[in-house]
Each structure stands twice: as structure tokens, then as C-alpha cells.
Amino acid sequence: MAEKMPAIMKTKPAYGAELVEVDVPKPGPGEVLIKVLATSICGTDLHIYEWNEWAQSRIKPPQIMGHEVAGEVVEVGPGVDTLQEGDYISVETHIVCGKCYACKHNRYHVCQNTKIFGVDMDGVFAEYAIVPAQNAWKNPKDMPPEYASLQEPLGNAVDTVLAGPIAGRSTLITGAGPLGLLGIAVAKASGAYPVIVSEPSEFRRELAKKVGADYVINPFEEDPVKAVMDITDGAGVEVFLEFSGAPKALEQGLKATTPGGRVSLLGLFPRDVTLDFNNLMIFKALEVHGITGRHLWETWYTVSSLIQSGKLNLDPVITHKYKGFDKFEEAFELMRAGKTGKVVFFPHKG
């Protein structure tokens, strides 16, 4: 193993990032060193790259970016007895305290003292990375690294789609960005029908079709509420899954949901949202779920099983693959322009 390695680092509090050479780290107590086999860009990474208001309040440069990963354990730190060299792992990015009120009620996904891997500490956009052993998830040896690196965001999609019954339910998905595309894949694998997708980007509408959406709507050219009502014979959808974070999409989705239906909200909104709560939710008796993180570790078992079943159509979701990090700026700019699904780096060029 070399002593130095390339890494994508947020070097200063400004737009962008740099490809730098850094020392290969050594694992401390409770940690392992992994050889990064595949790592994918998340929306959070894009926010850090763009240096938006959230990133400015949270990130402390210099810091290696990235948190979605598949890797091989190459060195084990003191006190680690759950992993060994050669283990093939992915990483749960929420590092929980285990002591707060939420954790003591087994609600680890909303731990009040959560630290985020790759946000509050160095991440995985490098050839090697340090991982807290308690957050490692062992993968089947035959799972492709690009699939294994998607398990963390796929967990968000699974919790969104499976927050209630989905098989045989008419479903509206607003937003076909990377997470929305994963949501389509999960909904189709779980028996939802019809799956209706509202997405303004032509590129992403085409991806939604490839993943398996039954109907795709351009909300800039037609009224998605009317379209949903036409498709469902005036009933509205049983399930509304919001992935876009667009206030208008939220309002349209609630209007298109049948009384007594289920709503799952994963998209994050850029500002406060004003809605007619009385008529859109209360009088319709909607069941509304806010989704954050993944249930530890229940969601991971579901995600792994879905991938191994072969029923998830993930290949169309992964639109860009890069060997090494040399073209990382191209990857981020394409993602900013909305011209990608999931982007995966394979750090080792050999």
C-alpha cells in the first residue's frame, strides 16, 4: 500500500473542491481502514461542493468529501472484534450516540446527537478511508461495488416507499432525481401500480421510464393533478411519495392523493411552505410520514435483500461511472445541471 493517495477535498470555504494528495490514514481504536472500491455522489456532496448556506454552517474545511461507499477492510484498529481484513463493507453514515432519549427508544435514525460520516469528519472520496467499525455493514461477496455503494441512499428510498402498504397501490412520485429514481425502482419491485412520476427535466423523465415508471408527466406542460385523476378514474393515488423538495410539487401531490391515502415526504424544501392544511390533509384524513435517514439496522436488511433478489432495476439509475477522480469536476457540474442519475467513482484505476 502506498503512503500517499489522491482525495477530493473541500480545501477552503468557497465554491468547488480540489483533488489533492494526502497521507493514507491509520485506523485508531474502534476504526478500520478500507480500500474504497466504489463511491457515489450524494446531494449532500453537491451542497458541499456548491458551498450553500447549509454547508457554510456545517462543514469545516479542509475535509475529504463523500460518504456513500463500498470497500474492503485492509487494516483493523485496536478494539475491533466485529470485522477483519478482507471483509467487504458499506457504511451507515449516521453515527449515533446510543444514550439520548431517541436512541433509548430504539429510534436511532433520529438520534439527537447524530454525527454524519463525510460531513462532520473526513469521508470516502479517496483511495482509502477510515470507517467507524460500529457503522460498517457487511456485504455479500458477489454484490457489485456500484450497487453496494448505493445502499445508503437506497435506504432513504426504501423507508419512503415502504412507510406503509405499497403492493397494488396507485403511486405518485414527484421528483425523478437520483433519490426519486431509486424510489421508482423500489416501488416497482414492491408491486406498486400504476407508478406515476412528475418531473420537469426531460433527461430525468427518460430515466424514469427506463427504471420502470408506468406514466411520466411534465408538470410544466400539463396539470399533474388532472393527469393523475384521469389515470385513476377520478380517485386519486393511494400513495404520494415526495422526493423533489419543490413546494408546488408538494401541493400538487396532496391534491392528487385520495382521501385516506398515505404521504411520505423525503425531499427537503428550500424555504417555509404555506399550504391549505385543512382541505389538503386534515379533511382528507391523510397519513403523513416525514422520512430521514434509515432505520438502524432494519432498513439495511431490506435494502440488501432487495438488491440480492434481482428485482431492483438499478442499472438505469447509474448513469455515469469514472475510473479515478481526475474528472471529478466534470461529474459535479453534470450533476448540478441535472444531467445525471447516480454518479459512481472507482478510485483505483487498475
Side-chain angles (χ1 to χ4, degrees):
M1 187 190 308
E3 294 183 355
K4 300 280 188 179
M5 64 177 184
I8 301 174
M9 180 176 283
K10 190 73 180 180
T11 56
K12 54 190 176 184
Y15 182 91
E18 294 183 58
L19 186 60
V20 299
E21 188 175 66
V22 297
D23 292 333
V24 174
K26 296 285 290 183
E31 299 176 337
V32 296
L33 178 69
I34 64 167
K35 177 182 180 180
V36 178
L37 302 177
T39 178
S40 42
I41 300 178
C42 172
T44 300
D45 301 316
L46 185 59
H47 295 326
I48 295 170
Y49 184 86
E50 293 174 324
W51 202 238
N52 68 2
E53 288 185 16
W54 170 83
Q56 292 174 37
S57 69
R58 186 71 176 263
I59 306 301
K60 297 176 175 59
Q63 183 174 296
I64 297 173
M65 298 169 60
H67 56 269
E68 298 177 3
V69 69
E72 178 187 350
V73 176
V74 293
E75 189 174 344
V76 177
V80 175
D81 57 10
T82 55
L83 297 168
Q84 59 186 4
E85 291 182 20
D87 281 345
Y88 174 37
I89 69 167
S90 292
V91 179
E92 166 53 53
T93 57
H94 287 194
I95 302 170
V96 301
C97 72
K99 300 175 182 178
C100 68
Y101 183 88
C103 285
K104 287 185 176 180
H105 285 78
N106 295 320
R107 298 197 288 263
Y108 298 105
H109 63 298
V110 286
C111 167
Q112 294 159 277
N113 301 304
T114 299
K115 300 290 185 184
I116 301 179
F117 181 63
V119 170
D120 299 309
M121 60 201 70
D122 279 339
V124 296
F125 285 171
E127 290 185 343
Y128 296 88
I130 295 294
V131 170
Q134 70 179 24
N135 283 64
W137 171 264
K138 292 183 183 179
N139 295 315
K141 292 291 187 182
D142 60 351
M143 183 178 289
E146 58 267 38
Y147 289 5
S149 76
L150 295 188
Q151 288 177 106
E152 192 257 14
L154 191 51
N156 297 137
V158 162
D159 277 2
T160 304
V161 176
L162 302 184
I166 192 72
R169 302 298 207 275
S170 54
T171 300
L172 171 64
I173 291 176
T174 49
L179 276 173
L181 292 170
L182 292 175
I184 296 167
V186 174
K188 292 298 295 182
S190 302
Y193 183 83
V195 173
I196 307 163
V197 176
S198 178
E199 166 58 50
S201 163
E202 181 179 1
F203 177 83
R204 287 175 168 170
R205 288 198 303 274
E206 290 303 312
L207 288 181
K209 293 176 186 176
K210 291 178 181 178
V211 176
D214 298 296
Y215 298 91
V216 178
I217 300 164
N218 180 349
F220 290 175
E221 293 185 354
E222 62 178 315
D223 179 0
V225 179
K226 182 180 184 304
V228 167
M229 291 303 175
D230 289 344
I231 293 165
T232 59
D233 294 326
V237 289
E238 286 280 351
V239 180
F240 166 39
L241 310 174
E242 209 306 293
F243 285 91
S244 72
K248 189 64 175 178
L250 172 62
E251 181 181 15
Q252 292 168 338
L254 292 172
K255 288 180 177 178
T257 304
T258 197
R262 190 250 297 184
V263 177
S264 290
L265 308 176
L266 181 66
L268 298 179
F269 298 92
R271 59 185 182 277
D272 292 347
V273 179
T274 300
L275 290 169
D276 180 359
F277 273 76
N278 293 342
N279 291 305
L280 291 180
M281 282 189 269
I282 297 171
F283 292 148
K284 292 178 76 172
L286 298 185
E287 177 186 338
V288 181
H289 299 260
I291 309 296
T292 186
R294 294 144 299 281
H295 288 81
L296 278 62
W297 287 87
E298 300 97 319
T299 302
W300 281 86
Y301 282 101
T302 303
V303 167
S304 184
S305 294
L306 280 170
I307 292 175
Q308 292 178 77
S309 75
K311 293 182 178 180
L312 277 182
N313 187 17
L314 294 179
D315 287 337
V317 179
I318 303 170
T319 57
H320 292 73
K321 299 179 181 181
Y322 291 89
K323 285 194 173 183
F325 296 119
D326 294 342
K327 295 184 178 180
F328 83 92
E329 289 174 310
E330 173 187 289
F332 272 97
E333 294 301 331
L334 283 170
M335 197 166 179
R336 282 194 77 220
K339 296 180 179 179
T340 71
K342 289 298 288 185
V343 176
V344 181
F345 295 113
F346 299 88
H348 297 268
K349 298 179 182 179

